[in-house]
Amino acid sequence: MDAPPPPATIEFVEVGPRDGLQNEKTLISTADKLGLIARAVAAGARRIEVTSFVNPKRVPQMADAEAVCAGLPDRDDVTYVGLVMNARGAERALATGRIDQLGAVCITTDRFAVANQGQSSDESLAAALEIVDMARTAGRSGQITIAAAFGCPFTGRVAEDRVVEMAARAAAARPAEIALADTIGVGDPAQAARLVALVRDAAPGVAVRVHFHNTRGTGLANVWAAVCAGARTVDAAIGGLGGCPFAPGAAGNVASEDVIYMLERAGVATGMDLAATIEASQWLSGVMGRTLPGMVARAPLFPEAIEGA
Ligand code: ZN
């Protein structure tokens, strides 16, 4: 049997300014966050998760959400996403006037939902539906991420039926898209392909985005499997930074430059400039003062420029 062909294009979403940085212990300056966002835009990113509007006591790294929004480049062609967990966060995000899309999150298990946002799983879904409504009422769009769709840091395996059920209920709110997130990086590519296909069936007409962490080295394989199964949009973070403050053991997002390299080399257009993304990753490594997890930015450029060509 022939494998399904990969798509000609995907949409790339840079999540480094939010998911990449949120778990860093050292506070990154607003100027450096804006530097990262400007580099992402220059590298071709047209949708960027720029910050989250959460309780600064819970996530100190995101305490400057309003200041980040005030400094965003004025670009009509870039969709700025703000992550929000509840109506209060949605109000803050909308009040900035700079957030084009609200990103809402629901969580598959009660244990993780309580740890992450002090709600049951069902309550987290209800909050996400409300956020999508608030976005639409304000003339913005809203999307819903199903977190811990591939496994829970506290309870282990998550039934695919639960993910599908949540996706179907989420779809009823007509979000701009539904994302499947492997928050703790436990997923495998067969599971990724299966879940994307199941959610596409359960939520016809709703685009599927995927969000993988590379905690156990399966991130890129999962991206490939998900894309071939019909995921239209892929999240990644420059340098492969990332983690979740409320999910023990969660590590970096798949690195933007690694995802872009893999997809472009395989003939899937991402709209991103690999060399500029590598430069952004190397710049961020300087800001952080350490080597970042992404691999492509640490390898020789391929292909090298051909002499005389
Ligand atoms: Zn994440």
Side-chain angles (χ1 to χ4, degrees):
M1 193 180 87
D2 289 336
T9 63
I10 57 104
E11 181 199 14
F12 177 86
V13 180
E14 174 59 45
V15 300
R18 198 282 302 177
D19 204 6
L21 298 182
Q22 70 173 5
N23 208 32
E24 291 294 324
K25 299 285 171 281
T26 309
L27 288 185
I28 313 300
S29 72
T30 304
D32 280 338
K33 290 173 183 171
L34 290 170
L36 180 59
I37 290 164
R39 282 168 174 80
V41 171
R46 293 298 173 262
R47 181 146 53 125
I48 305 176
E49 197 175 84
V50 290
T51 188
S52 64
F53 296 85
V54 292
N55 185 340
K57 290 201 190 85
R58 301 250 298 155
V59 189
Q61 190 66 260
M62 297 290 121
D64 62 350
E66 277 80 4
V68 167
C69 287
L72 288 172
D74 235 328
R75 296 279 301 236
D76 289 342
D77 57 342
V78 178
T79 298
Y80 293 121
V81 181
L83 192 81
V84 300
M85 296 293 178
N86 49 37
R88 159 116 184 82
E91 281 163 9
R92 277 179 64 200
L94 293 169
T96 66
R98 299 305 310 276
I99 293 295
D100 304 299
Q101 186 170 72
L102 298 184
V105 180
C106 58
I107 296 184
T108 54
T109 67
D110 289 330
R111 277 285 300 283
F112 189 22
V114 167
N116 196 66
Q117 53 212 62
Q119 296 174 316
S120 70
S121 171
D122 276 340
E123 285 166 350
S124 74
L125 179 57
L129 303 182
E130 184 187 7
I131 289 162
V132 169
D133 267 349
M134 288 176 71
R136 191 178 297 114
T137 302
R140 304 288 198 273
S141 64
Q143 33 105 334
I144 297 178
T145 293
I146 303 175
F150 294 77
C152 169
F154 303 104
T155 60
R157 283 187 173 267
V158 169
E160 290 176 356
D161 286 353
R162 174 64 181 156
V163 180
V164 170
E165 183 210 343
M166 291 180 84
R169 285 163 59 189
R174 293 179 294 116
E177 79 195 348
I178 293 174
L180 295 170
D182 187 6
T183 312
I184 56 168
V186 289
D188 68 76
Q191 182 186 20
R194 211 165 48 236
L195 267 183
V196 168
L198 286 169
V199 167
R200 288 182 72 204
D201 274 354
V206 181
V208 176
R209 176 167 54 84
V210 286
H211 178 102
F212 290 111
H213 283 253
N214 199 36
T215 316
R216 291 167 181 80
T218 55
L220 281 181
N222 294 342
V223 169
W224 181 251
V227 159
C228 290
R232 198 180 293 172
T233 305
V234 177
D235 284 357
I238 289 171
L241 282 178
C244 174
F246 311 109
N253 287 274
V254 285
S256 303
E257 58 273 26
D258 296 2
V259 168
I260 294 161
Y261 175 83
M262 175 185 76
L263 291 177
E264 294 277 344
R265 192 163 156 76
V268 180
T270 62
M272 294 293 293
D273 179 334
L274 177 61
T277 309
I278 289 172
E279 279 176 30
S281 178
Q282 291 166 343
W283 171 85
L284 185 59
S285 173
V287 170
M288 306 306 296
R290 65 174 202 267
T291 302
L292 304 184
M295 297 185 77
V296 166
R298 293 184 278 135
L301 212 55
F302 182 88
E304 298 283 2
I306 298 165
E307 253 175 77

